[in-house]
Amino acid sequence: MRSSSVFLVGAAVFGQSSAHYMFGRLILDNKWTNTWEYVRQISPGSGIIGDPISLLQPNIEPKSTDIVCGRNATLAWNKPKTASIVAGSRVGFGAGEAKLDGTMDRARVYHPGYLSAWLSKSPTDDLNAYKGDGDWFKILSVTGRTEQSIDFADPYFKPYGDALKRKWGAFYVDSWNFTIPATTPPGKYLLRIEHIFPNTQDSQFYPNCAHVDILPPSSTPAAVGIPGPLVKIPGVYVRGQPDVYFDKYNLDLDIDKWVPPKPEVWKG
Ligand SMILES: *[C@@H]1O[C@H](CO)[C@@H](O)[C@H](O)[C@H]1NC(C)=O
Ligand SMILES: *[C@@H]1O[C@H](CO)[C@@H](O)[C@H](O)[C@H]1NC(C)=O
Ligand SMILES: [Cu+2]
């Protein structure tokens, strides 16, 4: 394990930015909420409480419960607020990074890869106690470019967007917004975002979970759907599966034909 003093030297050399990121801020009613206000706090990879930079250390073990909501976030020990969201409305997550003084700053999704969002209904009203070991369904899948992607023709972004990275829709964004399906059954849910940086050996998983209370749309009677397909996390990915473990710097990767890992998105 690397010592924190070695790490601080490295951080000083490379400045305060890091190649990693997390999604600690929920975007609610078009406003960026504070880091960990609605999102479960995660623990530093070094295990040293208060070590800000290793907070961002990626998860590489698909069998670990750390890939549910992030490292050591199976339970919500920071007891975040629960966001009320009407089904059919828009939410988002903002990316963050830790600075050496422990405060948080905006960050970008510095790696190319696959972005998705998920919901899992808590069996009780107490979201703090829900381990995320129930059923999950996917509500967002971002592969190639969309209208939210960075415009790499913009001179400000041009230096960051090489041809192999910029084809990924979520590459280098600082946030992503999406809609909660209008027919999502009302209730208390974990709302999970996940970015995967594919690698041939250790793909990196960047998951975070917000606490949300999904309310029925005001139109009555509101239609209620049956979400699916349902999966478990961990369990949804296995080491070596070809749509998670591959060389993302492959020139031949045709992102428009690339099929992301299962499950498919539930559209409501
Ligand atoms: C998501 O929405 C927030 C709030 O409106 C905005 O600041 C942010 O730029 C949006 N993100 C993207 C990628 O469009
Ligand atoms: C992990 O979570 C527990 C609460 O479940 C907390 O007390 C502990 O400090 C956390 N560990 C680290 C390294 O932050
Ligand atoms: Cu990284």
Side-chain angles (χ1 to χ4, degrees), residues 27 30-32 148 173-177:
I27 295 172
N30 279 320
K31 287 186 202 71
W32 289 56
Q148 288 191 68
V173 296
D174 68 353
S175 55
W176 202 268
N177 300 297

Side-chain angles (χ1 to χ4, degrees), residues 205-245:
F205 301 91
Y206 295 94
N208 290 100
C209 296
H211 287 191
V212 302
D213 186 10
I214 297 183
L215 307 173
S218 49
S219 65
T220 46
V224 174
I226 301 169
L230 302 174
V231 298
K232 300 282 188 202
I233 306 174
V236 65
Y237 306 129
V238 294
R239 198 171 266 279
Q241 74 178 70
D243 49 12
V244 174
Y245 293 84

Side-chain angles (χ1 to χ4, degrees), residues 41-50 55 71-78:
Q41 196 168 342
I42 59 171
S43 293
S46 63
I48 301 165
I49 291 171
L55 208 53
R71 198 166 21 250
N72 198 27
T74 311
L75 295 177
W77 40 276
N78 66 312

